[in-house]
Amino acid sequence: EAQVTQNPRYLITVTGKKLTVTCSQNMNHEYMSWYRQDPGLGLRQIYYSMNVEVTDKGDVPEGYKVSRKEKRNFPLILESPSPNQTSLYFCASSPREGSQETQYFGPGTRLLVL
Amino acid sequence: GENVEQHPSTLSVQEGDSAVIKCTYSDSASNYFPWYKQELGKGPQLIIDIRSNVGEKKDQRIAVTLNKTAKHFSLHITETQPEDSAVYFCAASLGIMTTDSWGKLQFGAGTQVVVTP
């Protein structure tokens, strides 16, 4: 089944404790992206990657890191989480061929930073 | 950069009635406008999209209209059913033609639609 998977789905942590949220897609998509969803703000892009070893900042990159060592994986790293990073996080992927621009979203990771 | 505003933030409709959600965008160069539906506990899923060379697109009970001059686009759901209850997001993008911005979607804040039986 074609899908984007994220782990963990739920996470409670404390300020300053490094964490990684994994994202994997099995559709051989070139483009991957991370978003955070907050009430009243919709989805805001954190980082995106056009291909392996190619990443760039989105609208709200502060406090986050990403890496794209393989095509299928795009982990999101919070080196020193703070309470304002409490949010719902989504990973998405998209093919980069022809006019296909649809982004396929994972199920989300709900993060609480105490 | 692009700014997308979405209204209303919540919409309650009686089953069988129509629902309309409106979005405005700021960047006249935007040329791709998708709509995503997010059900409870799930990620957003594309339901329909439209490009700037088209004024209207329909898919069964849903339709999207685009007014490039006024820079606004709308989602129309007819004959609403309880399974239409969800959060709907509009988005705008410069589309695939701009290498630097490919895939960068700017989302609206979302509309919570509740369809009551």
Side-chain angles (χ1 to χ4, degrees), chain A residues 16-80:
Chain A
K17 186 175 181 182
K18 181 179 178 180
L19 66 91
T20 299
V21 183
T22 64
C23 172
S24 183
Q25 50 95 5
N26 62 2
M27 296 170 280
N28 202 36
H29 287 170
E30 288 190 6
Y31 179 92
M32 297 186 75
S33 181
W34 275 103
Y35 294 87
R36 60 178 289 173
Q37 182 179 357
D38 302 289
L41 297 176
L43 291 148
R44 294 180 293 168
Q45 191 177 54
I46 303 170
Y47 267 94
Y48 64 96
S49 169
M50 303 279 262
N51 213 328
V52 175
E53 300 292 0
V54 180
T55 64
D56 209 346
K57 296 177 181 178
D59 295 321
V60 288
E62 295 77 20
Y64 304 95
K65 284 175 56 177
V66 292
S67 68
R68 187 90 182 275
K69 293 183 169 54
E70 322 164 80
K71 199 170 187 178
R72 63 182 293 128
N73 296 324
F74 189 45
L76 179 70
I77 303 155
L78 284 71
E79 293 271 4
S80 183

